[in-house]
Amino acid sequence: MSELVTGEAVALELRPARLPSRALAVLLDLVAALAVYVAVTITVVVSTASLDEAAQTALSIATFVLVLVGGPIAVETLSHGRSLGKMACGLRVVRDDGGPIRFRHALVRGLIGVIEILMTFGVVACIASFVSARGRRLGDVFAGTLVVRERIPVTRTGFVPPPPPWLSGRFSGLDLSAVPDGLWLAVRQYLTRMQQLDPQVGWSMAERLASDLAERTGAPVPQGVPPAAYLAAVVQERQAREVRRAFGSDAAPSATPATAAPAPNGTKTPAVAQAEGWLQAPGTPPASHGAAGPSAGAREVVSEPSGGGRSEESAEVPASERPRTGFVPPA
């Protein structure tokens, strides 16, 4: 992917957790794991007292591996990066691009954590967190994860605009497995800040990102689709797949967003203005892609209730010949 170095570039709006909060979370996790390990060990020893010494040793090793190694891996996988200690400290494990972790991420973190936390009493993990700019230990580096803070002050975050309705669900068959996390991060940063960029600069950045994304997916950008709208539609498709993967197919959002109601007095709502902004290049007049309004010569259809006291001929009068009252019905 080509580097995007501009004055408008911003960092991913996630706050990495530092060593004190991470150490406290690990300590709480270890206390909980040791309590479970002691309880399970006592149960195993009592129930296998009649076995020989070799069998008891094998069961002890299996209990250690299952509880102190497999337990944290299973908890992080099922809770999507939040163990007991991390929930108490307001932390969470996410991928480098901010997405939820999967089993392979938790597996790598758990296996390396045995060496850098259990076998070295956390010394290697502390040194790695001090050296890393984002406080990552070796397990995070090899797994491609990051521990972030969830409890942060409420601030105004960047809004990723949805694609226009006519593009929703169009890229459901696109192969997104080869797109790296760094490219997804660049696309999200562009979409959240594109309204603040110079139109010419923003359009060129969208073209470069769309070209990189099309090269990774192996499918060209459809003809006539603006690059910014293409990026938003692909990001929406990836988010929908992440939701289906994490919470099941029933939790996937609808592919067709609701139509925004028009604002009174002829003004445009932000959603309508955003939808029209997808469709035009900088320096070109707005293009009309919606349904055309009624023609000038069209007759207005008036439905009168029966017994309303008006003659039937009044419903046949053209709209242009009727007196205007200036009343605008509410939306």
Side-chain angles (χ1 to χ4, degrees), residues 9-23:
V10 292
L12 180 63
E13 294 186 1
L14 293 176
R15 297 191 178 185
R18 296 304 176 184
L19 182 60
S21 58
R22 293 193 61 176

Side-chain angles (χ1 to χ4, degrees), residues 101-114:
I101 64 171
R102 305 175 189 172
F103 172 73
R104 60 184 179 89
H105 302 98
L107 178 63
V108 174
R109 294 184 79 255
L111 294 180
I112 298 181
V114 174

